[in-house]
Amino acid sequence: MASIVLPDELKPADGRFGCGPSKIRQEAITALATAGVELLGTSHRQRPVKHLVHSVKEGLAELFALPEGYEIILGNGGSTAFWDAAAFGLIEKRSENLTFGEFGAKFAKAAAAPWLDAPVVVDAPAGTRSALVAVEGVDVYAYPHNETSTGVMHPVVRAAGDAGALTVVDATSAAGGILFDTTEADVYYFAPQKNFASDGGLWLAAVSPAAIERIESIATSGRYIPESLSLKLALDNSRLDQTLNTPAIATLFLMNEQTRWINEEGGLAWADARTKKSSGLLYDWAESVSYATPFVANDAERSQVVVTIDFEDIDAAEIAATLRANGIVDTEPYRKLGRNQLRIATFTAIEPSDVAQLIRSIEYAVEHLG
Ligand SMILES: *Cc1c(COP(=O)(O)O)cnc(C)c1O
């Protein structure tokens, strides 16, 4: 099957369509290798790197039109570490977790910590989404803005729970690619290897005054909290433009380049229009051919940044392998979903014209595999 050679005129200029790590713009990589060289290998306690952290925070504040009193905080370990940090320092007694794919379910697992009450888990089958339910005593309502394993979005809306309950949104694959109302979330957290076109290893979050209050009150409650997972220490260090322990400076640098680029191009509204355009090309195409269908049946729930397409009468793994052999990579489905499917990122860094070329490449592969 690797013998199918895609004609050059059908191929995207950049063949990276993975959902994370994802395409990093060449301009950012070049900047890292030029201006960035002065920062690499220097101390994160000194002015140049603190200036970089400050710039990331400012760039995100602009991108999210950060409301009065909200702050950007960051720490090491990616979104996965944030789940554990939230179990230690954000959930007071009990969370509600919407699970409609792998990532939402992983947070629910982290929230089932022995010092907390068992979370209320509201589950829905892959390809659909569950809805918030107000439950007395729940103090954190958590859901993914974009479920990367299935390509389903959930709107950023506050939960109608008890007074003081926090709305905590996993925006790992959404942030920087989807327009939302920041005032609707208390914690909007993410990692930089998706729409922020950087490398992994960090988590960042926009946090509301209510979330800051919660972090501070749990920190003084006497609960045991390991230092590397302490949101209070992350908050204190972020305010000083640093992290508790050594961050990946290249990750911060690339993140800063991407944030600046999006802000210069027109901000989150621009990014939102761009990812809608790219994903729209794929969904329209999948609906127009006999052998493919969008996996997410309800088009109001379809992701604009992660497109999942089911195939019939043709092996999607063979399509993905053919693409890979021709330099078009990471279109395979989420491994645990187990469907005859392609999963394609339409993150902000990805050119809509490359998505159009990807479609032509898939058509060519299907024709020649068939
Ligand atoms: C990628 C992803 C994660 C995991 O991020 P890490 O930085 O690898 O821990 C969590 N949630 C969602 C929605 C994701 O897409």
Side-chain angles (χ1 to χ4, degrees):
M1 79 184 86
S3 63
I4 297 174
V5 177
L6 295 176
D8 282 342
E9 68 269 19
L10 298 185
K11 290 205 265 186
D14 194 301
R16 289 173 289 179
F17 292 97
C19 292
S22 64
K23 178 187 168 187
I24 302 175
R25 296 169 61 250
Q26 185 55 48
E27 292 85 342
I29 295 171
T30 303
L32 178 63
T34 52
V37 165
E38 305 219 332
L39 290 169
L40 294 175
T42 73
S43 169
H44 62 296
R45 303 288 181 219
Q46 295 300 323
R47 198 156 0 124
V49 176
K50 289 177 97 172
H51 183 264
L52 174 62
V53 172
H54 189 76
S55 175
V56 167
K57 285 165 51 184
E58 298 255 283
L60 290 173
E62 180 185 340
L63 187 70
F64 296 154
L66 209 63
E68 186 64 33
Y70 277 63
E71 295 183 40
I72 301 292
I73 65 172
L74 69 163
N76 282 318
S79 294
T80 300
F82 187 86
W83 294 324
D84 291 324
F88 276 110
L90 200 58
I91 303 169
E92 192 151 349
K93 269 214 171 92
R94 190 179 201 195
S95 61
E96 174 174 304
N97 294 74
L98 303 194
T99 60
F100 42 90
E102 281 298 315
F103 292 105
K106 285 181 182 186
F107 190 11
K109 204 169 160 195
W115 57 90
L116 300 172
D117 291 351
V120 177
V121 175
V122 189
D123 192 50
T128 67
R129 70 180 181 223
S130 43
L132 292 162
V133 193
V135 175
E136 206 185 318
V138 161
D139 57 77
V140 159
Y141 288 86
Y143 56 87
H145 189 184
N146 186 71
E147 177 47 77
T148 318
S149 65
T150 61
V152 169
M153 299 207 307
H154 189 290
V156 176
V157 285
R158 269 187 189 285
D162 300 349
L166 303 176
T167 300
V168 176
V169 180
D170 179 354
T172 307
S173 60
I178 307 177
L179 193 61
F180 72 105
D181 178 354
T182 314
T183 64
E184 291 287 318
D186 291 297
V187 180
Y188 189 78
Y189 66 93
F190 51 94
Q193 70 273 24
K194 306 199 180 180
N195 282 289
F196 286 104
S198 179
D199 229 334
L202 275 184
W203 60 261
L204 301 105
V207 292
S208 72
I212 293 169
E213 215 180 291
R214 175 76 63 84
I215 289 167
E216 289 186 324
S217 85
I218 294 180
T220 55
S221 68
R223 180 187 289 175
Y224 167 73
I225 303 176
E227 289 207 341
S228 68
L229 292 170
S230 163
L231 291 176
K232 170 67 174 146
L233 289 177
L235 174 69
D236 293 347
N237 278 285
S238 302
R239 284 174 171 166
L240 300 172
D241 296 330
Q242 59 187 15
T243 46
L244 175 71
N245 61 315
T246 318
I249 291 165
T251 298
L252 282 166
F253 186 92
L254 295 169
M255 162 92 204
N256 192 44
E257 288 300 301
Q258 177 77 350
T259 309
R260 203 166 56 195
W261 176 66
I262 298 174
N263 281 329
E264 281 169 8
E265 292 292 328
L268 206 49
W270 170 83
D272 182 77
R274 185 170 156 99
T275 60
K276 274 190 182 132
K277 181 175 179 184
S278 290
S279 56
L281 291 172
L282 282 159
Y283 290 125
D284 289 349
W285 168 77
E287 283 179 332
S288 75
V289 295
S290 60
Y291 54 82
T293 338
F295 170 50
V296 181
N298 181 349
D299 60 4
E301 298 179 352
R302 282 178 196 160
S303 170
Q304 67 194 73
V305 287
V306 172
V307 175
T308 46
I309 297 175
D310 279 349
F311 284 77
E312 266 165 68
D313 304 328
I314 179 145
D315 186 358
E318 283 191 20
I319 303 174
T322 302
L323 295 173
R324 184 173 285 283
N326 285 274
I328 302 169
V329 301
D330 299 340
T331 60
E332 292 84 4
Y334 190 79
R335 58 197 184 286
K336 282 194 206 149
L337 197 57
R339 293 187 72 89
N340 188 37
Q341 182 175 95
L342 296 183
R343 182 180 64 150
I344 296 153
T346 52
F347 292 152
T348 308
I350 292 166
E351 294 296 331
S353 58
D354 275 349
V355 174
Q357 288 294 83
L358 171 65
I359 292 169
R360 300 176 74 193
S361 296
I362 295 171
E363 286 186 324
Y364 188 93
V366 168
E367 216 170 282
H368 290 77
L369 284 167

